[in-house]
Structures are given as structure tokens and as C-alpha cells.
Amino acid sequence: MYSNKVFAGRNIGATLLGEALILIAGTIILTASAKAQVPFYPVPMTLQTLVVVALGLFLGPVRGSGIVIAYILQGLAGYPIFAGTPPAPSGLAYVAGPTGGYLAGFAISAFAAGWLARKGYARTIPGAVTVAVVASALIYAPGLAWLGVFTGYGERLLTAGFYPFLLGDLVKSVIAGLLFIGASAVVPGLGHMSGEKPEKK
């Protein structure tokens, strides 16, 4: 009986350690993607939305969105992990600023990508790309809603927070979908790594 308890305790400890390492690695990758600047038209882009969607696709809705939430909490604590920090201030000032709504959208996007993948909608290239596009689009809902508080609603809002990033996000969605399909061919069941079995279709 004692040995069984010790074994169970070690399993729980190993599981918690594994989850913590995944969380740390995910937030590091997300931070790096926020800092990366890729030349693009009409504006340079970061790789952040690509990583957000990929986290959901690869790790499932709970882990994917959990990593994003942990990332946001780290930024709230003042760590300079958001895009443009420094010189822009981090912490509450950044989250409550014009782009704060997009951060909330990241968590929604990662959860949606993972949930749709779990449902089996990302098993083909068209399906995976569509899931990535839908997940990316969800970022704009809270993002634009909050940005409009600062810019006003209408054409000015779309010019500031939608049009310049649309093409880049479409390209990143395609890349995320293709990466997921490629990885799924090597690791069967990818996207169902949070402990739940994929639903049968």
C-alpha cells in the first residue's frame, strides 16, 4: 500500500512538473514571437498570432489558452514581454491601453483553435487552415471593441486596427494550419494532448 502511494505521488509530481515546463516553454515562445519583427506589407508583423493559434492547435484548448493567460499575467506583473516593451511601459498601463483587447483575444483564439481541433475540424489541410483563420479572426472581436474606445468606431478604427494586419494574419493562419498538419503526420493524435481522447466522427 505504501509503495503504491509513493508511486502515485511520484506520478502526480512528474505530471505537475511536465505541465509547469510546458507552461514556461510556451510563455517563452510567445514572448519571443512578440519581439520578432518580420518585414511585411503594409506593416511589419510579429509572429504572435501564429504562435497563439499554434498553441491551441498543438496543445488543446486548456493548455493553449492557459499559456496565453499566464503570459498576460506575467505582463501585468510588469515583465517586459509584450510587443513594444520596452520602451513602452508594461504592466497594467499596457493591458489597459489601446491594444489590451487583442491580448484578451489571444486567449479566446487559442481556446477556439484547440477546441475546434479537438472536435476534428483540423484533420485536413483545408480544415486546419480554416480553423486557424477562424481562431485568428476571433482576436479582432475584443481587440477592435476595446481599441474603439480610444479611436472611435467606424473607418478610423478599421484603418488603425484591422486593415493593416489582415493580410499578415491570413498568411500566418495558413502557416499555422500547415505546420499542424505536418506535425500531425509525425505525431498522431496531436491536438489532443490535454488528457482527453479525441471525439470520434
Side-chain angles (χ1 to χ4, degrees):
M1 181 65 71
Y2 176 75
S3 61
N4 287 342
K5 288 182 179 180
V6 171
F7 182 73
R10 288 177 178 174
N11 278 346
I12 293 173
T15 299
L16 291 175
L17 177 60
E19 293 296 330
L21 292 175
I22 290 172
L23 186 69
I24 292 169
T27 56
I28 290 173
I29 293 170
L30 195 48
T31 299
S33 72
K35 302 297 184 180
Q37 286 282 337
V38 179
F40 200 74
Y41 176 85
V43 294
M45 65 179 182
T46 70
L47 300 178
Q48 203 163 21
T49 54
L50 189 158
V51 171
V52 164
V53 173
L55 286 172
L57 287 172
F58 281 72
L59 298 178
V62 175
R63 279 178 173 165
S65 61
I67 288 171
V68 175
I69 292 170
Y71 167 78
I72 295 171
L73 291 176
Q74 289 173 13
L76 268 173
Y79 294 100
I81 59 176
F82 296 138
T85 59
S90 195
L92 181 60
Y94 189 100
V95 175
T99 59
Y102 294 99
L103 293 173
F106 288 165
I108 296 170
S109 175
F111 186 90
W115 185 81
L116 290 169
R118 182 72 49 76
K119 290 289 184 179
Y121 294 111
R123 293 177 177 173
T124 64
I125 290 177
V129 170
T130 300
V131 166
V133 169
V134 170
S136 293
L138 290 174
I139 297 172
Y140 286 97
L144 292 174
W146 182 246
L147 179 61
V149 174
F150 298 87
T151 65
Y153 297 92
E155 189 67 19
R156 184 180 177 187
L157 171 62
L158 296 177
T159 301
F162 181 66
Y163 296 146
F165 311 105
L166 183 58
L167 181 58
D169 282 342
L170 287 173
V171 170
K172 286 181 280 186
S173 295
V174 172
I175 294 173
L178 292 176
L179 287 174
F180 178 69
I181 290 297
S184 296
V186 179
V187 183
L190 195 64
H192 309 294
M193 297 176 63
S194 59
E196 298 178 17
K197 294 181 179 179
E199 295 185 8
K200 295 181 179 180
K201 302 295 284 185

